[in-house]
Every structure is written in C-alpha cells, then in structure tokens.
Amino acid sequence: MHHTPATDLENEPWRLGLLNAAVEGRLAASDHHDLVHRHDTATRPARRLAVRAEIEVLLRCLDAGLEVRTEVQITDGRPTDLVVSLPDHEFAIHVKRLPVVLDAAPPVPEAFSNLADVPRPYLVGVRWLDPAPPDASTIEDVRRFLRGARMRDRLPLRRAGVDLGLVEVRAPSDDPGGAIRFTPMGVESAATVDRTGRLLRRAYRQFVPGLENTIVLVSGASASDGGDLVDRAVLGGHVERWDRLPVVGERVAHGRDDGGLWNGRHYERSRLVGFCGLDGGPGRLWERDALDPPANEIVESLRRTLAGSGSGSATTPGDRT
C-alpha cells in the first residue's frame, strides 16, 4: 500500500479546510473522518484521486455556504457523492475525476498577431513547440491555410521533417466584430473526448430518482483546456452547418456535431454539468435548454460553488447552453 509521508499530509491545504469545516459545524464529524479515511487508505492512486476530486467539490460547496452531506444512501444502489440541501430544494452532485492531464499549452508566439487581419470569424488554437519564433514563411503558410479553412480543419507545421506545431480551427470567434482570434492549445484527441463522454454517461446511470442531478468533472488540467474538453463532450464539437442560414454578416452557419451527451433528446434528465480544477480557481457550468429548466436556486448555488473556493469574489457566470 502506498503511504504519503506525514509531513506531506500535514501540508495539504484540503485537510485543513475539512478540519476547519468540521470544527465550525459546517461539516459533520463523521463525514470528515470518512473522507480522510477513504483518501488515506485507498490502495490505488486512481481511487485516491477520485476521493480528492470529491473533496474538492465538497470544499467549494462549503465555501459557497451550502449545507452538504457526503456518501448519502438514497437508493439501493451505490451512495450518492454529495447531496446539497437548500431552503426549498435538494439536489445531488455526482463527482467524476477526469483522468486526463493536459500538458500546459505553450503561449501563442507574437508573430501570429500579424494574421489578425485575416477576415475569418474563428477561434483558432495554436500549439507552437519550437523554441524559436515562427519565421515569415511559416506565418504565410498559416495565412493561406486560414483563408480557406473550415471548422475543425488542422494544419501541422513542419520544417525539414521537424514538427514545429499545430494550428486548428476550433470554434466560432466570440469577438463582437467577428475577427479571427488565437488561443493556446494543449494536447487533445478524439479519444480523450470520448473518454470524457463515457464518464458523463457513467455518472448519468447513477442519477437519483426524484432529485435534480448534476455532474461535476474535476481535473488537474487548466480551466481553459479542461473546460474545452468537457464542452465538446457535453455539447459536441463545433462544425459548419449547411442546413441552416448563417447569422447576418457571416457566410456559414455554425453548430455542433452529434457526439455530445446532450445531443437531441438523449439523457434528458441531465440538465446541469460542471467542471473545475483542483486549484480552487474558477470552473464552468453548462445549463441545458429545457422546457422545464432546473430551479434557479439550484443553478445559482452551483454557480457560486464553481466560481472558486475561498476567493470571496463575485460569481463567474456559467455558460448558458
């Protein structure tokens, strides 16, 4: 069995957070003991990280002022990770660890700013690997690519057989003027998105009858890269739609493919999905368009929870989808 050195245990901030919550009466002593025990006695690293993910969401709930119970046995199935009690509602949170560590996305080289005049309304991911900045020839290759590229198109950048990086048209630009925008891009693959989708479906099978259920994925990845990954798994990847009329001023309509959890009328009880990292920073919340939307009190509680732990800052609005 793997044992974490005592000095490391004492210095883990989440332990102090749980202890303070128990001392202050915000967390039941039995829940505090159970979480620490399950974490420290886990025989597999994956299981220990899964408990750590549950602790992360719990601490965020407590920091948001919510009343939370852990490992609640509601049905004959497995216990529900977290149940939150509000004045007029109760809802379940199913926590899943996203076992994907996306490496840090390298910054976009300054030379790409020379492409800002390309009249394409896209968000373009750039992954530049070479220690030297791109030369004028490479930038012109990218310019030619962007002028004719469509959604999801990729351009590998190479010189003399050496991989320099990658450019990908990722999504419609959120720039009000419809200008092209570049963003750093980590490593992501279709297999990674599929794995995330399987996690969502597994959590769906654990939904509690009679309660609003939400799924929160927790990862060590950055909020940007991890959030983009969950976004694709929930809503589907961005694609060009030739069966729709484009927005005024644009040549092509954009939509999503059919690979997302919320595609069509599938998994209809899933109406809220969240994502956060282990660093306490801001996460994201997705709300499904529905004729009978979740109670606003539940949505606002989740937004406060995912805004960031212990920051005391204003809530970051979630993504309305």
mmCIF file of all heavy atoms in Angstrom, residues 114-115 117-120 122 140-150 153 169 180 251:
data_model
loop_
_atom_site.group_PDB
_atom_site.id
_atom_site.type_symbol
_atom_site.label_atom_id
_atom_site.label_comp_id
_atom_site.label_asym_id
_atom_site.label_seq_id
_atom_site.Cartn_x
_atom_site.Cartn_y
_atom_site.Cartn_z
ATOM 1 N N ASN A 114 0.332 39.035 -36.604
ATOM 2 C CA ASN A 114 0.351 39.554 -37.969
ATOM 3 C C ASN A 114 -0.788 38.989 -38.815
ATOM 4 O O ASN A 114 -1.034 39.457 -39.926
ATOM 5 C CB ASN A 114 1.686 39.208 -38.638
ATOM 6 C CG ASN A 114 2.862 39.890 -37.974
ATOM 7 O OD1 ASN A 114 2.742 41.026 -37.512
ATOM 8 N ND2 ASN A 114 3.991 39.202 -37.912
ATOM 9 N N LEU A 115 -1.493 37.962 -38.266
ATOM 10 C CA LEU A 115 -2.593 37.338 -39.001
ATOM 11 C C LEU A 115 -3.954 37.863 -38.567
ATOM 12 O O LEU A 115 -4.986 37.362 -39.015
ATOM 13 C CB LEU A 115 -2.542 35.815 -38.807
ATOM 14 C CG LEU A 115 -1.270 35.122 -39.293
ATOM 15 C CD1 LEU A 115 -1.220 33.684 -38.793
ATOM 16 C CD2 LEU A 115 -1.199 35.164 -40.810
ATOM 17 N N ASP A 117 -5.516 40.295 -39.416
ATOM 18 C CA ASP A 117 -6.306 40.907 -40.496
ATOM 19 C C ASP A 117 -6.988 39.877 -41.385
ATOM 20 O O ASP A 117 -7.718 40.236 -42.308
ATOM 21 C CB ASP A 117 -5.410 41.806 -41.344
ATOM 22 C CG ASP A 117 -4.264 41.039 -42.009
ATOM 23 O OD1 ASP A 117 -3.893 39.967 -41.477
ATOM 24 O OD2 ASP A 117 -3.746 41.509 -43.037
ATOM 25 N N VAL A 118 -6.765 38.591 -41.120
ATOM 26 C CA VAL A 118 -7.447 37.552 -41.917
ATOM 27 C C VAL A 118 -8.937 37.590 -41.570
ATOM 28 O O VAL A 118 -9.323 37.405 -40.418
ATOM 29 C CB VAL A 118 -6.865 36.157 -41.620
ATOM 30 C CG1 VAL A 118 -7.639 35.094 -42.410
ATOM 31 C CG2 VAL A 118 -5.386 36.107 -41.978
ATOM 32 N N PRO A 119 -9.795 37.845 -42.555
ATOM 33 C CA PRO A 119 -11.232 38.063 -42.265
ATOM 34 C C PRO A 119 -12.007 36.761 -42.076
ATOM 35 O O PRO A 119 -12.893 36.423 -42.864
ATOM 36 C CB PRO A 119 -11.706 38.827 -43.502
ATOM 37 C CG PRO A 119 -10.845 38.294 -44.605
ATOM 38 C CD PRO A 119 -9.496 38.014 -43.989
ATOM 39 N N ARG A 120 -11.696 36.010 -41.043
ATOM 40 C CA ARG A 120 -12.404 34.780 -40.764
ATOM 41 C C ARG A 120 -12.894 34.817 -39.314
ATOM 42 O O ARG A 120 -12.086 35.040 -38.391
ATOM 43 C CB ARG A 120 -11.506 33.548 -40.953
ATOM 44 C CG ARG A 120 -10.877 33.413 -42.320
ATOM 45 C CD ARG A 120 -11.892 33.376 -43.456
ATOM 46 N NE ARG A 120 -12.849 32.293 -43.361
ATOM 47 C CZ ARG A 120 -12.619 31.039 -43.735
ATOM 48 N NH1 ARG A 120 -11.432 30.686 -44.220
ATOM 49 N NH2 ARG A 120 -13.565 30.120 -43.651
ATOM 50 N N TYR A 122 -13.243 33.076 -36.613
ATOM 51 C CA TYR A 122 -12.939 31.815 -35.957
ATOM 52 C C TYR A 122 -12.070 32.014 -34.713
ATOM 53 O O TYR A 122 -11.277 32.962 -34.631
ATOM 54 C CB TYR A 122 -12.180 30.884 -36.912
ATOM 55 C CG TYR A 122 -12.992 30.351 -38.065
ATOM 56 C CD1 TYR A 122 -12.450 30.297 -39.350
ATOM 57 C CD2 TYR A 122 -14.286 29.885 -37.875
ATOM 58 C CE1 TYR A 122 -13.182 29.787 -40.420
ATOM 59 C CE2 TYR A 122 -15.027 29.375 -38.941
ATOM 60 C CZ TYR A 122 -14.463 29.335 -40.203
ATOM 61 O OH TYR A 122 -15.193 28.837 -41.246
ATOM 62 N N GLU A 140 3.118 32.832 -43.329
ATOM 63 C CA GLU A 140 2.406 32.879 -44.605
ATOM 64 C C GLU A 140 1.713 31.558 -44.903
ATOM 65 O O GLU A 140 0.620 31.533 -45.474
ATOM 66 C CB GLU A 140 3.367 33.255 -45.737
ATOM 67 C CG GLU A 140 3.731 34.724 -45.760
ATOM 68 C CD GLU A 140 2.501 35.622 -45.728
ATOM 69 O OE1 GLU A 140 1.626 35.450 -46.606
ATOM 70 O OE2 GLU A 140 2.408 36.477 -44.832
ATOM 71 N N ASP A 141 2.323 30.437 -44.506
ATOM 72 C CA ASP A 141 1.653 29.137 -44.653
ATOM 73 C C ASP A 141 0.351 29.122 -43.860
ATOM 74 O O ASP A 141 -0.685 28.627 -44.337
ATOM 75 C CB ASP A 141 2.563 28.013 -44.154
ATOM 76 C CG ASP A 141 3.718 27.727 -45.095
ATOM 77 O OD1 ASP A 141 3.659 28.190 -46.257
ATOM 78 O OD2 ASP A 141 4.672 27.040 -44.662
ATOM 79 N N VAL A 142 0.407 29.655 -42.640
ATOM 80 C CA VAL A 142 -0.782 29.704 -41.795
ATOM 81 C C VAL A 142 -1.823 30.635 -42.409
ATOM 82 O O VAL A 142 -3.025 30.346 -42.397
ATOM 83 C CB VAL A 142 -0.418 30.150 -40.368
ATOM 84 C CG1 VAL A 142 -1.679 30.291 -39.518
ATOM 85 C CG2 VAL A 142 0.540 29.159 -39.723
ATOM 86 N N ARG A 143 -1.377 31.757 -42.976
ATOM 87 C CA ARG A 143 -2.306 32.703 -43.603
ATOM 88 C C ARG A 143 -3.070 32.032 -44.743
ATOM 89 O O ARG A 143 -4.298 32.155 -44.844
ATOM 90 C CB ARG A 143 -1.541 33.928 -44.117
ATOM 91 C CG ARG A 143 -2.454 35.002 -44.738
ATOM 92 C CD ARG A 143 -1.614 36.130 -45.341
ATOM 93 N NE ARG A 143 -0.881 36.830 -44.308
ATOM 94 C CZ ARG A 143 -1.374 37.812 -43.560
ATOM 95 N NH1 ARG A 143 -2.627 38.208 -43.754
ATOM 96 N NH2 ARG A 143 -0.637 38.399 -42.646
ATOM 97 N N ARG A 144 -2.350 31.313 -45.600
ATOM 98 C CA ARG A 144 -3.012 30.632 -46.717
ATOM 99 C C ARG A 144 -3.999 29.578 -46.204
ATOM 100 O O ARG A 144 -5.103 29.431 -46.749
ATOM 101 C CB ARG A 144 -1.963 29.985 -47.627
ATOM 102 C CG ARG A 144 -1.215 30.970 -48.501
ATOM 103 C CD ARG A 144 -0.385 30.246 -49.550
ATOM 104 N NE ARG A 144 0.743 29.538 -48.939
ATOM 105 C CZ ARG A 144 1.928 30.078 -48.726
ATOM 106 N NH1 ARG A 144 2.157 31.347 -49.088
ATOM 107 N NH2 ARG A 144 2.902 29.370 -48.187
ATOM 108 N N PHE A 145 -3.606 28.871 -45.157
ATOM 109 C CA PHE A 145 -4.493 27.863 -44.567
ATOM 110 C C PHE A 145 -5.766 28.500 -44.031
ATOM 111 O O PHE A 145 -6.885 28.025 -44.306
ATOM 112 C CB PHE A 145 -3.747 27.131 -43.450
ATOM 113 C CG PHE A 145 -4.640 26.360 -42.513
ATOM 114 C CD1 PHE A 145 -5.252 25.178 -42.910
ATOM 115 C CD2 PHE A 145 -4.872 26.822 -41.226
ATOM 116 C CE1 PHE A 145 -6.079 24.471 -42.038
ATOM 117 C CE2 PHE A 145 -5.685 26.125 -40.345
ATOM 118 C CZ PHE A 145 -6.301 24.950 -40.762
ATOM 119 N N LEU A 146 -5.636 29.594 -43.290
ATOM 120 C CA LEU A 146 -6.797 30.212 -42.649
ATOM 121 C C LEU A 146 -7.760 30.806 -43.667
ATOM 122 O O LEU A 146 -8.973 30.832 -43.434
ATOM 123 C CB LEU A 146 -6.330 31.303 -41.676
ATOM 124 C CG LEU A 146 -5.583 30.803 -40.434
ATOM 125 C CD1 LEU A 146 -5.103 31.987 -39.594
ATOM 126 C CD2 LEU A 146 -6.466 29.890 -39.591
ATOM 127 N N ARG A 147 -7.260 31.261 -44.773
ATOM 128 C CA ARG A 147 -8.143 31.865 -45.774
ATOM 129 C C ARG A 147 -9.138 30.857 -46.353
ATOM 130 O O ARG A 147 -10.222 31.230 -46.775
ATOM 131 C CB ARG A 147 -7.304 32.488 -46.896
ATOM 132 C CG ARG A 147 -6.706 33.842 -46.509
ATOM 133 C CD ARG A 147 -5.802 34.367 -47.596
ATOM 134 N NE ARG A 147 -5.383 35.742 -47.303
ATOM 135 C CZ ARG A 147 -4.391 36.352 -47.928
ATOM 136 N NH1 ARG A 147 -3.718 35.715 -48.881
ATOM 137 N NH2 ARG A 147 -4.072 37.588 -47.604
ATOM 138 N N GLY A 148 -8.766 29.582 -46.373
ATOM 139 C CA GLY A 148 -9.672 28.582 -46.936
ATOM 140 C C GLY A 148 -10.142 27.536 -45.941
ATOM 141 O O GLY A 148 -10.890 26.632 -46.311
ATOM 142 N N ALA A 149 -9.718 27.641 -44.682
ATOM 143 C CA ALA A 149 -10.010 26.600 -43.699
ATOM 144 C C ALA A 149 -11.478 26.610 -43.280
ATOM 145 O O ALA A 149 -12.157 27.642 -43.318
ATOM 146 C CB ALA A 149 -9.131 26.790 -42.464
ATOM 147 N N ARG A 150 -11.943 25.430 -42.878
ATOM 148 C CA ARG A 150 -13.288 25.269 -42.347
ATOM 149 C C ARG A 150 -13.183 24.743 -40.920
ATOM 150 O O ARG A 150 -12.103 24.373 -40.457
ATOM 151 C CB ARG A 150 -14.086 24.315 -43.227
ATOM 152 C CG ARG A 150 -14.264 24.821 -44.652
ATOM 153 C CD ARG A 150 -14.831 23.763 -45.575
ATOM 154 N NE ARG A 150 -16.110 23.252 -45.099
ATOM 155 C CZ ARG A 150 -16.815 22.321 -45.731
ATOM 156 N NH1 ARG A 150 -16.357 21.793 -46.855
ATOM 157 N NH2 ARG A 150 -17.965 21.908 -45.253
ATOM 158 N N ASP A 153 -10.683 22.009 -39.241
ATOM 159 C CA ASP A 153 -9.506 21.766 -40.077
ATOM 160 C C ASP A 153 -8.235 22.006 -39.263
ATOM 161 O O ASP A 153 -8.186 22.893 -38.404
ATOM 162 C CB ASP A 153 -9.498 22.686 -41.303
ATOM 163 C CG ASP A 153 -10.450 22.218 -42.382
ATOM 164 O OD1 ASP A 153 -11.024 21.121 -42.222
ATOM 165 O OD2 ASP A 153 -10.621 22.953 -43.373
ATOM 166 N N VAL A 169 -8.680 25.151 -36.429
ATOM 167 C CA VAL A 169 -9.881 25.980 -36.349
ATOM 168 C C VAL A 169 -10.825 25.304 -35.363
ATOM 169 O O VAL A 169 -11.353 24.222 -35.643
ATOM 170 C CB VAL A 169 -10.546 26.140 -37.732
ATOM 171 C CG1 VAL A 169 -11.804 26.995 -37.614
ATOM 172 C CG2 VAL A 169 -9.572 26.765 -38.714
ATOM 173 N N ILE A 180 -10.824 37.091 -36.375
ATOM 174 C CA ILE A 180 -10.127 35.869 -36.004
ATOM 175 C C ILE A 180 -9.425 36.078 -34.662
ATOM 176 O O ILE A 180 -8.971 37.186 -34.344
ATOM 177 C CB ILE A 180 -9.121 35.471 -37.101
ATOM 178 C CG1 ILE A 180 -8.767 33.993 -36.992
ATOM 179 C CG2 ILE A 180 -7.864 36.340 -37.051
ATOM 180 C CD1 ILE A 180 -8.097 33.447 -38.241
ATOM 181 N N ARG A 251 -20.871 34.054 -43.614
ATOM 182 C CA ARG A 251 -21.106 33.266 -44.825
ATOM 183 C C ARG A 251 -21.593 31.850 -44.518
ATOM 184 O O ARG A 251 -22.237 31.215 -45.340
ATOM 185 C CB ARG A 251 -19.818 33.199 -45.649
ATOM 186 C CG ARG A 251 -19.389 34.533 -46.246
ATOM 187 C CD ARG A 251 -18.128 34.377 -47.054
ATOM 188 N NE ARG A 251 -17.003 33.942 -46.218
ATOM 189 C CZ ARG A 251 -15.816 33.621 -46.684
ATOM 190 N NH1 ARG A 251 -15.604 33.644 -47.993
ATOM 191 N NH2 ARG A 251 -14.849 33.264 -45.887
#
